[in-house]
Amino acid sequence: MNKFAFSRELRLLTPEHYKTVFQQAHRAGSPHLTILARSNELNCPRLGLAVPKKQIKNAVDRNRFKRIVRESFRLKQHQLPAKDFVVIAKKSANELSNEELFKLLDKLWHRLSRPSRG
């Protein structure tokens, strides 16, 4: 049976982790958010979040965004490839309802899970 925890191993923790993802990443984006992905040597996906104050002003809204992204990742983690993902919020992300944000994230996770055409 699969575990659906969001443990420490599933997070990008250090600035170096983020830096490697930003250097050579595949992108999947929408007007509301962008997800960067880069393969890792681990056997599990990892998640990092970038939610700037400049984009989403209120802490309550930033936290809601992060909570929904984490939950979406937690539920999809067993279908995702072994990649590091960084989700970057844009201003308009705050206008989405929770349900719309979940649907958008599902679509982007699916797009990034396909094998790259390289």
Side-chain angles (χ1 to χ4, degrees), residues 53 55-64 94:
K53 273 187 195 176
Q55 301 299 333
I56 301 179
K57 300 264 187 274
N58 294 332
V60 173
D61 296 328
R62 283 194 305 277
N63 292 337
R64 178 186 74 95
N94 202 19

Side-chain angles (χ1 to χ4, degrees), residues 82-101:
K83 291 184 177 180
D84 291 341
F85 297 96
V86 175
V87 178
I88 305 168
K90 296 181 184 171
K91 272 192 174 80
S92 59
N94 202 19
E95 298 160 9
L96 296 174
S97 70
N98 292 2
E99 192 178 309
E100 291 169 328
L101 193 50

Side-chain angles (χ1 to χ4, degrees), residues 6 47 49 66-75:
F6 185 58
L47 176 68
L49 295 164
K66 290 190 277 191
R67 201 167 46 246
I68 292 169
V69 171
R70 277 191 220 109
E71 182 66 4
S72 172
F73 178 81
R74 189 181 71 79
L75 296 172

Side-chain angles (χ1 to χ4, degrees), residues 22-37:
F22 282 113
Q23 281 170 357
Q24 294 174 326
H26 299 292
R27 294 173 178 263
S30 78
H32 309 292
L33 59 105
T34 302
I35 302 179
L36 304 176

